Amino acid sequence: MKKEIWCPISYKCGGCDYASVPYYEELEDKFYYVHSLFSKYCTVYDVMGMRRPEHYRNKVQAVIGEDRNGKTVSGLYRKGTHDLIAVRSCRLEFLDAEKIMSSIKGLMKSYHIRPYDEDRFTGDLRHVLMRRSQKNGEVMVILVFGTPRFKTSKDFANSLMNMHPEIKTVASQINGEKTSMVLSEAPIEILKGPGYITDRLFDLDFKISPSSFFQVNVKQTEVLYSMAMKMAGLSGREKVLDAYCGTGTIALVASKRASSVTGVELNPAAIENAKENAKENGILNVSFVNADASVFCKQMAKDKESFDVAFLDPPRAGSDERFLSSLIKLGPKRIVYISCNPETQERDCRYLERFGPYRLVAVQPVDMFPRAMHVETVVLITRIEDK
């Protein structure tokens, strides 16, 4: 039998680490990776994969450049380099992404917009960022320019939206910094539309603005959060803490199953988004605090306050001893730790077992990014009352 070629350029762009193997082998590989880290503590369950592991990315980022013949192309940098690999279609991106990108490149020619050259600091359009709502198919496009020379961006936005009615918002930003980051700290200008699209997790609606964080794989996010809620064992009576709450997705999902939820986040913009999301969904039993989670937990413990359940979902670098020690002082009965980096997660869990009255009960891996190396893990940690 002839072996299927997942993608003819996967060996170049590096976006699909598992392009050459069947999906079941990928899931086995990810299971053994997580098993090697956590089996000494507790049970590690099989990885929860996707039924159809393609076209799941509702966020698409593309670099704009030129090929050797001076033709405008879009694509990705080769892994570990700044060599641009032209990508015409991708089996991970949402289905209409290729058509929209093709229209953008066509309009660039009509409006005399040049690809930005990072070495010479010349040209115009540097990146294109697209976000799509799984709920209703709405699309948002962010045009990232390297210089402020381009003056007809609103006309460009009108033309693009006329070609693709599913596009509801077009925004732009100037990013002339020497960086690999797509978006900079510069202001984002809304060229056309309300400035956001709306997506849904379970029965909750979330407004997504150009710089908002939202999971790129909504279907698997619901799988992940369902498992997290199951591990939390919420009955409607619990007082819940959501540390590193971001824009409030976990807190709002938990609110339907808890007495009260407190979300803590250091980023003030994320807290404002979380408050707005709670208001839009009519949720009244959630409060959001703009604070350092370590300081917050330490103060709560000092005030003799407590939580029954704590959710943790830190960045890839994991948590730190300052927060973990304050969490131990706070003493929740159950901790549900979600992570996109099992290695830093294992390090933090080891700390909780060593210095706190806690033990790991189970680990559930969830494949949030099929064909890529990453795997998400949910760990249930319970307090040992007599330690």
Side-chain angles (χ1 to χ4, degrees), residues 254-270:
S255 70
K256 301 293 184 96
R257 304 162 174 83
S259 173
S260 66
V261 183
T262 300
V264 184
E265 170 63 48
L266 190 58
N267 185 329

Side-chain angles (χ1 to χ4, degrees), residues 6-7 10 13-19 23 26 30 50 52-60 76 87 89-98 132 216-217 367-374:
W6 169 263
C7 173
S10 60
C13 81
C16 296
D17 302 284
Y18 286 98
Y23 188 48
E26 175 186 340
K30 290 177 177 179
M50 286 192 77
R52 298 185 65 182
E54 53 185 303
H55 300 301
Y56 62 82
R57 291 195 65 93
N58 287 329
K59 179 180 178 182
V60 174
L76 303 170
V87 178
S89 64
C90 175
R91 290 180 67 173
L92 302 186
E93 298 173 355
F94 66 87
L95 283 169
D96 292 334
E98 179 185 354
R132 178 186 179 275
V216 301
N217 188 340
D367 193 21
M368 291 284 288
F369 305 101
R371 317 316 272 163
M373 288 292 293
H374 307 295

